[in-house]
Amino acid sequence: MVVIMRPDAGRQDIDGVIERIRGCGMDVHVSQGKERTIIGIIGDEREIDFDSIAALPGVDRAMPILRPYKYVSRHVHPENRTIRVDGVTIGRGLVFMAGPCSVEDEDTTLRIAEQVQAAGAQIFRGGAYKPRTSPWSFQGLREKGLEILSRVKARTGMPICTEIMDTADIDVVGRHTDIYQVGMRNMRNYSLLAALGKTRKPVLLKRGDSAKLEEWLAAADYIIRNGNENIILCERGIRTFEDYTRNTLDLNAVVGAKIESSLPVVVDPSHGTGRADLVCAMGRAAVAAGADGLLLEVHFDPNRAWSDGMQTITPQAMGKLLDDCRRIQDLLGR
Amino acid sequence: MVVIMRPDAGRQDIDGVIERIRGCGMDVHVSQGKERTIIGIIGDEREIDFDSIAALPGVDRAMPILRPYKYVSRHVHPENRTIRVDGVTIGRGLVFMAGPCSVEDEDTTLRIAEQVQAAGAQIFRGGAYKPRTSPWSFQGLREKGLEILSRVKARTGMPICTEIMDTADIDVVGRHTDIYQVGMRNMRNYSLLAALGKTRKPVLLKRGDSAKLEEWLAAADYIIRNGNENIILCERGIRTFEDYTRNTLDLNAVVGAKIESSLPVVVDPSHGTGRADLVCAMGRAAVAAGADGLLLEVHFDPNRAWSDGMQTITPQAMGKLLDDCRRIQDLLGR
Amino acid sequence: MVVIMRPDAGRQDIDGVIERIRGCGMDVHVSQGKERTIIGIIGDEREIDFDSIAALPGVDRAMPILRPYKYVSRHVHPENRTIRVDGVTIGRGLVFMAGPCSVEDEDTTLRIAEQVQAAGAQIFRGGAYKPRTSPWSFQGLREKGLEILSRVKARTGMPICTEIMDTADIDVVGRHTDIYQVGMRNMRNYSLLAALGKTRKPVLLKRGDSAKLEEWLAAADYIIRNGNENIILCERGIRTFEDYTRNTLDLNAVVGAKIESSLPVVVDPSHGTGRADLVCAMGRAAVAAGADGLLLEVHFDPNRAWSDGMQTITPQAMGKLLDDCRRIQDLLGR
Amino acid sequence: MVVIMRPDAGRQDIDGVIERIRGCGMDVHVSQGKERTIIGIIGDEREIDFDSIAALPGVDRAMPILRPYKYVSRHVHPENRTIRVDGVTIGRGLVFMAGPCSVEDEDTTLRIAEQVQAAGAQIFRGGAYKPRTSPWSFQGLREKGLEILSRVKARTGMPICTEIMDTADIDVVGRHTDIYQVGMRNMRNYSLLAALGKTRKPVLLKRGDSAKLEEWLAAADYIIRNGNENIILCERGIRTFEDYTRNTLDLNAVVGAKIESSLPVVVDPSHGTGRADLVCAMGRAAVAAGADGLLLEVHFDPNRAWSDGMQTITPQAMGKLLDDCRRIQDLLGR
């Protein structure tokens, strides 16, 4: 932490800050500037309370230097991490997860699964528990949806990725999924993250729509710190003033996440755009930026999808997209 | 819902939309404009899927007309709602909830409680479970903190408001609190909201830092729909590009929440500014805008607070603020 | 500036930074932390290029310490500044500027002027040059509108405040206005700011809808630096994700602007909300927060206003609002 | 426009709206819904004032249907537009514009120019007039910089793209540049846009950092409407809450701009990221998303650049990036 004193701070203010920092068992460096005094902390600032320093008399600002995370950092784990799920490797080459937004009736779901598999998907995704803004919207098939997912796996062999919304559901969802998906609304549900950290199943952690990169990585640290290192980051767009698209897909954050951490990063261009006519272009862009894969909403009849039809593409469009992505990946020598 | 067709939409696109809407049991009105055809839906659009209409061929945009909530709406419940908690009425006159950000050791906490009560607080607030961005920061005293809160109530008689982070903790927290606080990170944790809807204890629902007004009200609808009408809305700032303050306190939303719903609305200027030197001015502004009360972080020694010291005011400053607020309220004849 | 080196920065990286800073004629303080080295600059960092330091090998981040402005700072000018315009003092007591969004025909404009004056306005505002998002919208009466403004002044004696959009119009607008208004779209039009700095007429500088507080103050510094100290800051809302209101009125920034600078600060709740049903509540809130006055869109028939009718209030509503504001001001002893 | 009446609107409110619309020479369609009445306007809504309708009694919301622009629309001009500048075609194949952020001394600038040309740049960019947040920062070499640009062109043959900040400078800048660049701070400087519309020189129009896609296109319409169709759109990042990067590069908007309009769209990953370590990945992503080219800050010694060194890449890095981009373009069959 760097503590910047106000221009009018006196000797005793400065001494107060130094004393407080030393009281926490750390040491200081003091720089007497022309206009201001600056005090640097020597030690792991994550262990002292930022705010209590910032509130001391004579302090203008206190600026953190260390990031709010440790374990996910590339400094700690320099090589790219890979995760194996039922024979699929995430974090080396490209991985494609596809399926409908919501699990629908068994026949429809199986038909979609077969088509996305034929189009190149390695993992099947679909929501049984659906977090919806309005309590009046369809909330998912819940347990019945989970059973349909298990039948998809039995039929196709594809591992399953589905959303978990509550610590109370970890067991029941865990019986039917291979990857727990944490949706953007729960990225800061730290109780859920800690509980998932105690399982060993991979977690696909979507970025919150108002989460800074460092907060997203800190959320991943909640999982690792509890023992589970199998984390896949998923960028799915942030909320901005722009309303042409449902969200603003932030590919900068994909590149940043791969610089700052060694976790695999996939991109969800379906939610990241909210428009089927943008999904393929942004999927290609994500791979060109360095994403390790895509999460896609696909349905053979998007107009009949039970939710999110507006951002759903067909298996045919998906096949073409995957082909483009694989060729871009080859071309870039990755 | 209003469906706006593309300029190049053909007769069969238009018929497709009409057929789909009628298939959902609703009727339509068709307006043939100069450039475009517009189709209006007659019926409760919340019961059909917005996206599946928007994804139909020839559709440019589909715009919702109804809000995503019902029960919290002032149309449904025109008079202001009031909530009684242990003799304190929320929603008529001003209510002040104050205390430290985190519950600290028993002596400190009791001392703060006595001082905020003397300064005019009617309800004591303090966090035992602390959602923190970094897993490396102090996470609260948890059960031990809850017990200290019960001792505060036994000593002072003030009802307690403390945060709940997990459905699994509803019982244990419920034994020690009079109001469940849902923090901004959990505003979209719909499992938690639904579970709190099944209790009868008041819920203080903080606005998510990226939640639109209508999403905040829809979150309240999750609670009411499950049976609990005792909801207090709390504006605590949204996330914007501005970094001078920790959040941007959105008083527009306070006025809007009182227009659109009949729930009481309180304001948290501590988190809404993140700076002790702004708290009092913004607390006065909140009351002038029509807030029903304030939620304040107060400590006799802000520099020694275990968290959020930078935005914590003293009991003395609080006393002066409450006095100003009461006089503004009188002056406005409320 | 504080330069934070990467954990893996070597001796030669550190020496490179030190050498560069010394080459700019400044001195350094080096703090050898546990994980990282931190280098502080001694001298006025505004004179060296921030980016060129941040780009040096081994640098993780460079953080500015000084604000991007000087002259507007309260450190430089501790007492509140006041501005006199034709007998009206801005910056002591409350000032109210009111009128229609656009100058309309002479009769209507005069009638509005008389009514807002009767309701308590001291300064008349109205746009002759209208910056509009679409080139297809009404762009203002331009020169003809300016002449009507002069007739308003001749009739009522009220000083005039109207918008200037182009350096080429400084003379013509200056012949008819007492205060140049710089709209939010031109807050970063530095050519215009510099040119207004060469006049002596007061400038009402609206905050850009994506401008941080410090950028707004730096824009004011462009004017002062060119010789004109008569600046009135005007908060009019920022752009966020919230679409219930046209903008998010940021009263935090009003308090902040008065802490950081000594310029008078007025608030425009008409644009800051975009809704007539919010204007009065937010006007009162602005005064309670410490604003020096309000800028209001007022029309005797808001539904007939040529622009912005949705956010326009009547002279009657305005009269009541001003009364409330004056009583709040008295109560707060200002 | 679609006008949505409040649930409690009476017959006379509805008639009032209808009468007003008919008074503007347009016709209406009325849909009597279950909860509300909806009134659609038949005719070109851009010619009547949106706000004045929205402010009528009984109106809940008025929603525009038409976009705020016409001429840039792909409906009006279906085929992609191309622009020729001195033998370089923009809008067919990829175009690369590169150079330093600021024009520096003649030797340095010429050396950069030769290197970026060797690396594949077809157009030279560099700022002589620099809009800077702080008046205390370097403001560019101005006229002297323009002359250096002319010498670059004389030496290399590359056309020049440089920023114009003021209508008063159109002639002087025009004597030295082949493309006028409008920076993001001036995207809503409509006087400048209108004036550039009266020239015939191509204009590179950067998106404002708080401009929605439709506002950016409407800004282009200001130029076309005044007679100049030679517009190149440039996405350069928007302002969001994320501070890991300087801006959030919004590639969604690139795809959207190409769907909605037929203008060429280039991307500036230098400003769009603010970090040299992200520029190449995002440049590739931009091309994969469909951009028509890139605008790049390049310097043989980024640490010595006079401004923006942090986001500047070397000619070597640029050469590799261009090679990747061209191969992606080929692969996608464009």
Side-chain angles (χ1 to χ4, degrees):
Chain A
M1 197 187 310
V2 172
V3 182
I4 299 164
M5 304 302 294
R6 297 165 55 90
D8 56 0
R11 190 62 244 166
Q12 124 186 24
D13 295 332
I14 295 166
D15 289 345
V17 172
I18 294 170
E19 183 193 344
R20 169 64 60 88
I21 295 168
R22 290 202 173 129
C24 298
M26 281 166 234
D27 207 0
V28 300
H29 263 260
V30 179
S31 298
Q32 198 73 46
K34 199 166 126 193
E35 294 194 20
R36 295 163 185 251
T37 296
I38 296 165
I39 301 168
I41 293 183
I42 304 175
D44 188 342
E45 71 188 45
R46 281 174 292 232
E47 289 162 23
I48 63 170
D49 189 63
F50 175 80
D51 283 315
S52 76
I53 302 295
L56 288 170
V59 172
D60 181 10
R61 278 168 291 160
M63 301 192 289
I65 290 170
L66 298 183
R67 305 295 188 184
Y69 51 83
K70 278 187 194 172
Y71 290 157
V72 301
S73 168
R74 200 173 273 281
H75 295 310
V76 169
H77 192 297
E79 316 82 49
N80 284 340
R81 293 172 194 261
T82 57
I83 295 167
R84 277 191 76 80
V85 183
D86 265 5
V88 179
T89 302
I90 302 164
R92 192 163 51 230
L94 292 176
V95 69
F96 298 103
M97 311 185 189
C101 174
S102 300
V103 174
E104 306 191 0
D105 62 85
E106 185 169 342
D107 283 354
T108 304
T109 307
L110 281 171
R111 192 170 148 205
I112 296 171
E114 285 165 353
Q115 295 188 6
V116 299
Q117 188 172 37
Q122 299 121 299
I123 296 175
F124 188 73
R125 58 69 45 93
Y129 295 79
K130 299 298 305 170
R132 301 298 296 271
T133 296
S134 171
W136 308 95
S137 302
F138 171 59
Q139 309 278 318
L141 292 179
R142 309 179 71 86
E143 285 82 348
K144 201 175 143 225
L146 293 176
E147 281 157 24
I148 293 172
L149 289 171
S150 280
R151 260 165 262 147
V152 165
K153 185 172 183 186
R155 176 82 69 92
T156 64
M158 281 191 284
I160 301 297
C161 173
T162 198
E163 181 153 357
I164 174 87
M165 289 173 60
D166 194 342
T167 49
D169 298 328
I170 287 183
D171 285 345
V172 62
V173 173
R175 278 195 292 278
H176 298 278
T177 198
D178 299 287
I179 301 174
Y180 287 113
Q181 175 179 318
V182 176
M184 69 91 176
R185 293 171 173 84
N186 281 307
M187 191 208 86
R188 297 185 289 188
N189 179 344
Y190 300 128
S191 298
L192 179 60
L193 300 180
L196 292 170
K198 286 173 187 140
T199 75
R200 287 300 163 271
K201 242 184 231 299
V203 177
L204 183 133
L205 180 65
K206 288 196 159 187
R207 182 184 182 191
D209 68 352
S210 63
K212 298 185 185 190
L213 173 58
E214 67 176 27
E215 294 167 338
W216 184 25
L217 296 178
D221 237 24
Y222 267 96
I223 302 172
I224 299 197
R225 199 189 192 204
N226 281 280
N228 186 354
E229 302 199 5
N230 298 309
I231 300 169
I232 306 148
L233 298 171
C234 179
E235 160 64 25
R236 48 77 66 204
I238 57 173
R239 180 162 271 188
T240 70
F241 59 82
E242 177 60 78
D243 54 12
Y244 180 75
T245 43
R246 180 171 175 180
N247 291 288
T248 297
L249 189 64
D250 180 12
L251 295 182
N252 279 356
V254 172
V255 189
K258 292 194 69 74
I259 290 172
E260 300 300 325
S261 89
S262 41
L263 296 173
V265 183
V266 301
V267 170
D268 172 356
S270 305
H271 286 89
T273 64
R275 300 175 59 119
D277 56 352
L278 270 70
V279 167
C280 294
M282 293 306 289
R284 289 193 298 262
V287 168
D292 296 296
L294 300 177
L295 189 71
L296 294 164
E297 292 191 351
V298 182
H299 194 295
F300 54 82
D301 187 357
N303 305 325
R304 297 274 165 195
W306 291 6
S307 55
D308 278 356
M310 203 155 68
Q311 67 196 36
T312 298
I313 59 171
T314 60
Q316 291 70 39
M318 176 191 155
K320 169 79 173 70
L321 167 60
L322 267 55
D323 189 48
D324 286 345
C325 288
R326 287 201 199 89
R327 289 159 67 211
I328 291 172
Q329 184 83 346
D330 284 350
L331 176 160
L332 297 173
R334 289 194 293 237
Chain B
M1 197 187 310
V2 172
V3 181
I4 300 163
M5 303 302 294
R6 298 165 55 90
D8 56 1
R11 189 64 244 167
Q12 124 186 25
D13 295 332
I14 294 166
D15 289 345
V17 173
I18 293 170
E19 182 194 343
R20 169 64 60 89
I21 295 169
R22 291 202 173 128
C24 298
M26 280 164 234
D27 207 359
V28 299
H29 264 260
V30 179
S31 299
Q32 197 73 45
K34 199 166 125 194
E35 293 195 20
R36 294 163 186 251
T37 296
I38 296 165
I39 301 168
I41 293 183
I42 304 175
D44 188 342
E45 72 187 44
R46 281 173 294 231
E47 288 161 25
I48 62 170
D49 189 62
F50 176 81
D51 283 316
S52 76
I53 303 295
L56 289 170
V59 173
D60 180 11
R61 277 168 290 160
M63 300 191 289
I65 290 170
L66 298 182
R67 306 293 188 185
Y69 50 84
K70 278 188 194 173
Y71 290 156
V72 300
S73 168
R74 199 174 272 282
H75 295 310
V76 170
H77 192 296
E79 315 83 50
N80 284 340
R81 293 172 194 261
T82 57
I83 295 167
R84 278 192 74 80
V85 183
D86 265 4
V88 178
T89 302
I90 301 165
R92 193 164 52 231
L94 292 176
V95 68
F96 298 102
M97 311 185 189
C101 174
S102 301
V103 175
E104 306 191 359
D105 62 85
E106 185 169 341
D107 283 355
T108 303
T109 307
L110 281 171
R111 192 171 149 205
I112 295 171
E114 285 164 353
Q115 294 188 6
V116 299
Q117 188 172 38
Q122 300 122 297
I123 295 174
F124 187 74
R125 57 69 46 94
Y129 295 79
K130 299 298 305 171
R132 300 299 295 272
T133 297
S134 172
W136 308 95
S137 301
F138 172 59
Q139 309 278 318
L141 291 179
R142 309 179 72 85
E143 286 81 348
K144 202 175 142 227
L146 293 176
E147 281 158 23
I148 293 172
L149 288 171
S150 281
R151 260 165 262 147
V152 165
K153 185 172 183 185
R155 175 82 68 93
T156 64
M158 281 191 284
I160 301 297
C161 173
T162 199
E163 181 153 357
I164 173 86
M165 289 172 60
D166 194 341
T167 49
D169 298 328
I170 287 183
D171 285 346
V172 61
V173 173
R175 278 196 292 278
H176 298 280
T177 198
D178 299 287
I179 301 173
Y180 287 112
Q181 175 180 318
V182 176
M184 69 92 177
R185 291 172 175 83
N186 280 307
M187 191 207 85
R188 296 186 289 187
N189 179 343
Y190 300 128
S191 298
L192 179 61
L193 300 180
L196 291 170
K198 286 172 188 140
T199 75
R200 288 299 164 272
K201 243 185 232 299
V203 177
L204 184 133
L205 180 65
K206 289 196 159 189
R207 181 184 183 193
D209 68 352
S210 63
K212 298 185 184 190
L213 174 58
E214 68 175 28
E215 294 167 337
W216 185 24
L217 296 177
D221 236 24
Y222 267 96
I223 302 172
I224 299 197
R225 200 189 191 205
N226 280 280
N228 186 354
E229 301 199 7
N230 299 308
I231 301 169
I232 306 148
L233 297 171
C234 179
E235 160 64 25
R236 47 75 69 204
I238 56 173
R239 179 162 271 188
T240 71
F241 60 82
E242 177 61 78
D243 54 12
Y244 179 75
T245 44
R246 180 172 174 178
N247 291 288
T248 296
L249 189 65
D250 180 12
L251 295 181
N252 278 357
V254 173
V255 188
K258 292 195 69 73
I259 290 173
E260 301 299 326
S261 88
S262 40
L263 297 173
V265 184
V266 302
V267 170
D268 172 356
S270 306
H271 286 89
T273 63
R275 300 175 58 120
D277 56 352
L278 270 71
V279 167
C280 293
M282 293 305 288
R284 289 192 299 262
V287 169
D292 296 295
L294 300 177
L295 189 72
L296 294 164
E297 291 192 352
V298 182
H299 195 296
F300 54 81
D301 186 357
N303 305 325
R304 297 273 164 196
W306 291 6
S307 54
D308 278 355
M310 203 155 67
Q311 66 195 36
T312 298
I313 60 172
T314 60
Q316 291 70 39
M318 176 192 156
K320 170 78 172 70
L321 167 60
L322 267 54
D323 189 48
D324 286 345
C325 288
R326 288 200 199 89
R327 289 160 66 212
I328 291 172
Q329 183 82 347
D330 283 349
L331 176 160
L332 297 174
R334 288 194 294 237
Chain C
M1 197 187 309
V2 173
V3 182
I4 299 165
M5 305 300 294
R6 299 166 53 91
D8 56 1
R11 189 63 245 167
Q12 122 185 27
D13 296 332
I14 294 166
D15 288 346
V17 173
I18 294 170
E19 184 193 344
R20 169 65 59 89
I21 295 168
R22 290 204 174 124
C24 298
M26 280 165 234
D27 207 358
V28 299
H29 263 258
V30 180
S31 298
Q32 198 73 45
K34 200 165 124 194
E35 293 194 20
R36 294 162 186 252
T37 296
I38 297 164
I39 300 168
I41 293 182
I42 303 174
D44 189 342
E45 71 186 46
R46 281 173 295 233
E47 288 161 26
I48 62 171
D49 188 63
F50 175 80
D51 282 316
S52 76
I53 302 295
L56 289 170
V59 173
D60 181 11
R61 278 168 291 161
M63 300 190 291
I65 289 169
L66 299 182
R67 305 295 186 184
Y69 51 83
K70 279 188 194 172
Y71 290 157
V72 301
S73 169
R74 198 173 274 282
H75 295 309
V76 169
H77 192 297
E79 315 80 52
N80 284 340
R81 292 171 193 262
T82 57
I83 296 166
R84 277 192 75 80
V85 184
D86 266 3
V88 179
T89 303
I90 301 164
R92 193 164 49 231
L94 292 177
V95 70
F96 298 103
M97 313 186 186
C101 175
S102 300
V103 175
E104 307 191 1
D105 62 85
E106 185 170 341
D107 283 355
T108 303
T109 307
L110 281 170
R111 190 169 150 207
I112 295 172
E114 286 165 352
Q115 294 188 6
V116 299
Q117 188 172 37
Q122 300 122 298
I123 296 174
F124 187 73
R125 55 71 45 93
Y129 295 79
K130 299 297 305 169
R132 301 298 296 270
T133 297
S134 172
W136 308 97
S137 302
F138 173 60
Q139 310 277 319
L141 292 178
R142 309 179 71 86
E143 286 81 350
K144 200 175 144 227
L146 293 176
E147 282 158 23
I148 294 172
L149 288 172
S150 281
R151 262 165 262 147
V152 165
K153 184 173 183 185
R155 175 83 67 93
T156 65
M158 281 190 285
I160 301 297
C161 173
T162 199
E163 181 152 358
I164 174 85
M165 287 173 60
D166 195 342
T167 49
D169 298 329
I170 286 182
D171 286 345
V172 62
V173 174
R175 279 195 292 278
H176 298 279
T177 198
D178 300 286
I179 302 174
Y180 288 114
Q181 175 180 316
V182 176
M184 69 92 178
R185 292 172 174 82
N186 280 309
M187 190 207 86
R188 297 183 290 188
N189 180 343
Y190 300 127
S191 299
L192 179 60
L193 300 180
L196 292 170
K198 284 170 190 143
T199 76
R200 288 298 163 271
K201 243 185 231 299
V203 178
L204 183 131
L205 179 65
K206 288 198 160 188
R207 180 185 183 192
D209 68 352
S210 62
K212 297 185 186 192
L213 174 58
E214 67 175 28
E215 293 167 338
W216 185 24
L217 297 177
D221 235 25
Y222 267 96
I223 301 171
I224 297 195
R225 200 186 191 206
N226 280 280
N228 186 352
E229 302 199 7
N230 299 310
I231 301 168
I232 306 148
L233 298 171
C234 179
E235 160 64 25
R236 47 76 68 206
I238 57 174
R239 180 161 272 188
T240 69
F241 59 83
E242 179 59 79
D243 54 11
Y244 179 77
T245 43
R246 182 172 174 178
N247 290 288
T248 296
L249 189 64
D250 180 13
L251 296 181
N252 279 356
V254 174
V255 189
K258 293 195 68 73
I259 290 172
E260 301 300 326
S261 88
S262 42
L263 297 173
V265 183
V266 301
V267 169
D268 172 356
S270 306
H271 287 90
T273 63
R275 299 175 60 120
D277 57 352
L278 269 70
V279 167
C280 294
M282 293 306 289
R284 290 193 298 263
V287 169
D292 294 298
L294 300 178
L295 189 71
L296 294 163
E297 291 191 353
V298 183
H299 195 295
F300 54 82
D301 186 357
N303 305 326
R304 297 272 164 198
W306 290 6
S307 55
D308 278 355
M310 203 156 66
Q311 67 196 34
T312 299
I313 60 171
T314 61
Q316 292 69 40
M318 177 193 155
K320 169 78 174 71
L321 167 60
L322 267 53
D323 189 49
D324 286 344
C325 289
R326 287 200 198 90
R327 291 160 65 212
I328 291 172
Q329 185 82 347
D330 284 348
L331 176 160
L332 297 174
R334 290 194 292 234
Chain D
M1 197 187 309
V2 173
V3 182
I4 298 165
M5 304 301 294
R6 300 165 53 90
D8 56 1
R11 190 62 244 167
Q12 121 186 26
D13 295 333
I14 294 166
D15 289 345
V17 173
I18 293 170
E19 184 194 343
R20 170 65 58 88
I21 295 168
R22 290 202 173 127
C24 298
M26 280 165 236
D27 207 358
V28 299
H29 264 259
V30 180
S31 298
Q32 198 71 46
K34 200 167 124 193
E35 294 194 19
R36 295 163 185 253
T37 295
I38 297 165
I39 300 167
I41 294 181
I42 304 175
D44 189 341
E45 71 186 45
R46 280 172 295 231
E47 288 162 25
I48 63 171
D49 189 63
F50 176 81
D51 282 316
S52 76
I53 302 294
L56 289 170
V59 172
D60 181 12
R61 277 167 291 161
M63 300 191 290
I65 289 169
L66 298 182
R67 305 294 187 184
Y69 50 84
K70 278 188 194 171
Y71 290 156
V72 301
S73 170
R74 198 173 274 281
H75 295 309
V76 170
H77 192 298
E79 317 79 52
N80 284 339
R81 292 171 194 262
T82 57
I83 296 166
R84 277 191 74 80
V85 184
D86 265 5
V88 178
T89 302
I90 301 165
R92 193 163 51 229
L94 293 177
V95 69
F96 298 103
M97 313 186 186
C101 175
S102 301
V103 174
E104 306 191 0
D105 62 84
E106 185 169 343
D107 284 354
T108 303
T109 305
L110 281 171
R111 191 171 150 205
I112 295 172
E114 286 165 352
Q115 294 189 6
V116 299
Q117 188 172 37
Q122 299 122 299
I123 296 175
F124 188 73
R125 54 74 41 96
Y129 295 79
K130 299 297 305 170
R132 301 298 296 269
T133 297
S134 172
W136 308 96
S137 301
F138 171 60
Q139 310 278 319
L141 291 179
R142 309 179 70 87
E143 286 81 350
K144 201 175 144 228
L146 293 174
E147 282 157 24
I148 293 172
L149 288 171
S150 281
R151 261 165 264 146
V152 165
K153 184 172 183 185
R155 175 83 67 92
T156 65
M158 281 189 286
I160 300 296
C161 173
T162 197
E163 181 152 357
I164 173 86
M165 287 173 60
D166 195 342
T167 49
D169 298 329
I170 286 182
D171 285 346
V172 62
V173 173
R175 279 196 291 279
H176 298 278
T177 198
D178 300 286
I179 302 174
Y180 287 114
Q181 175 179 316
V182 176
M184 69 93 176
R185 291 170 174 84
N186 280 309
M187 189 207 87
R188 296 185 290 188
N189 180 344
Y190 300 127
S191 299
L192 179 60
L193 299 180
L196 291 170
K198 285 171 189 139
T199 75
R200 288 298 163 272
K201 241 184 233 299
V203 177
L204 183 131
L205 179 65
K206 289 198 160 187
R207 180 185 183 190
D209 67 352
S210 63
K212 297 185 186 192
L213 173 58
E214 68 175 28
E215 294 168 337
W216 185 24
L217 296 177
D221 235 24
Y222 267 96
I223 301 172
I224 297 195
R225 200 187 191 206
N226 280 280
N228 186 352
E229 303 199 6
N230 299 310
I231 301 168
I232 305 148
L233 298 171
C234 179
E235 159 65 25
R236 46 77 67 207
I238 56 173
R239 180 162 271 188
T240 69
F241 60 83
E242 178 59 77
D243 53 12
Y244 179 76
T245 43
R246 182 172 174 178
N247 290 288
T248 296
L249 188 65
D250 181 12
L251 296 182
N252 279 356
V254 173
V255 188
K258 292 195 70 73
I259 290 172
E260 302 299 326
S261 89
S262 41
L263 297 173
V265 184
V266 301
V267 170
D268 172 356
S270 305
H271 286 89
T273 63
R275 300 175 58 120
D277 55 352
L278 268 71
V279 167
C280 294
M282 293 306 289
R284 287 192 300 262
V287 169
D292 295 297
L294 300 178
L295 189 72
L296 294 164
E297 292 191 353
V298 183
H299 195 294
F300 55 80
D301 186 356
N303 305 326
R304 297 273 164 198
W306 289 7
S307 54
D308 278 354
M310 202 155 67
Q311 66 195 36
T312 299
I313 59 171
T314 60
Q316 291 70 39
M318 176 193 157
K320 169 79 173 70
L321 166 61
L322 267 55
D323 188 50
D324 287 344
C325 289
R326 288 199 199 90
R327 290 160 67 212
I328 291 172
Q329 184 82 347
D330 283 349
L331 176 160
L332 296 174
R334 289 194 293 237

